[in-house]
């Protein structure tokens, strides 16, 4: 397991709460995995772990070490820095901002959102993709997104 300074054996800080950065990185791991349509078990198999270990990483319970993060990046087709994107950069408020951002990222992982992204990514014709986006923009700008 990847323990860091001030952490217990599983990577969570003393006191039991995962560090905000570990939670953020874990949510990004989950987001990328689900966008690719991979189960926790499938990702675990690809990197030689158990699905329970993937669960702990995704929750931020276990801290992801640099070598493991690099392995996830290669496996999921993103640069390692992708896992840190959208993290607030100000040191003063970073812990609370990271928690708020993690909650927002959880909302992006909803089934409908993930299905929409997966299906949209399967549309190969650029013109069709542009038309889909135009339709969505029109629906939202008309206020019709609340019908339903």
């Amino acid at each position: 397991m990847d323990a860091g300074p001030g952490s217990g054996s599983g990577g969570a800080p003393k006191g039991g709460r995962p560090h905000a950065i570990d939670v953020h990185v874990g949510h990004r791991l989950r987001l990328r995995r689900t966008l690719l349509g991979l189960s926790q078990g499938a990702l675990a198999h690809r990197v030689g772990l158990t699905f329970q270990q993937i669960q702990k990483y995704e929750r931020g319970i276990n801290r992801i070490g640099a070598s493991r993060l690099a392995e996830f990046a290669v496996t999921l087709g993103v640069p390692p820095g992708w896992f840190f994107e959208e993290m607030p950069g100000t040191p003063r408020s970073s812990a609370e901002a990271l928690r708020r951002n993690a909650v927002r990222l959880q909302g992006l992982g909803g089934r409908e959102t993930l299905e929409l992204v997966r299906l949209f990514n399967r549309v190969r014709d650029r013109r069709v993709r542009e038309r889909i986006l135009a339709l969505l923009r029109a629906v939202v700008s008309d206020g019709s997104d609340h019908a339903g």
Side-chain angles (χ1 to χ4, degrees), residues 68-138:
R68 179 74 67 200
L69 190 67
E71 185 177 11
F72 282 136
V74 169
T75 301
L76 299 173
V78 293
W82 184 88
F83 295 100
F84 299 96
E85 288 178 4
E86 299 185 18
M87 271 184 20
T90 56
R92 287 177 304 200
S93 63
S94 62
E96 183 54 37
L98 283 170
R99 283 187 187 90
R100 284 192 308 268
N101 198 37
V103 169
R104 186 185 61 76
L105 282 173
Q106 282 179 324
L108 291 176
R111 288 190 188 276
E112 290 175 335
T113 303
L114 296 174
E115 182 179 11
L116 179 65
V117 171
R118 279 196 291 260
L119 291 171
F120 185 81
N121 285 335
R122 289 175 52 191
V123 176
R124 298 291 175 224
D125 188 325
R126 182 183 54 82
R127 291 174 299 192
V128 173
R129 289 170 68 113
E130 289 171 358
R131 288 181 183 153
I132 292 169
L133 287 174
L135 172 64
L136 288 172
R137 288 183 188 116

Side-chain angles (χ1 to χ4, degrees), residues 32-69:
R32 184 62 182 163
R33 174 185 60 76
T34 53
L35 287 174
L36 293 175
L38 293 173
S39 67
Q40 289 176 330
L43 177 58
H45 180 73
R46 289 184 184 190
V47 296
L49 298 172
T50 66
F51 80 91
Q52 292 94 337
Q53 288 171 299
I54 299 296
Q55 285 178 330
K56 288 180 179 182
Y57 284 142
E58 289 184 356
R59 291 180 189 154
I61 295 169
N62 284 1
R63 182 167 293 152
I64 303 173
S67 58
R68 179 74 67 200
L69 190 67

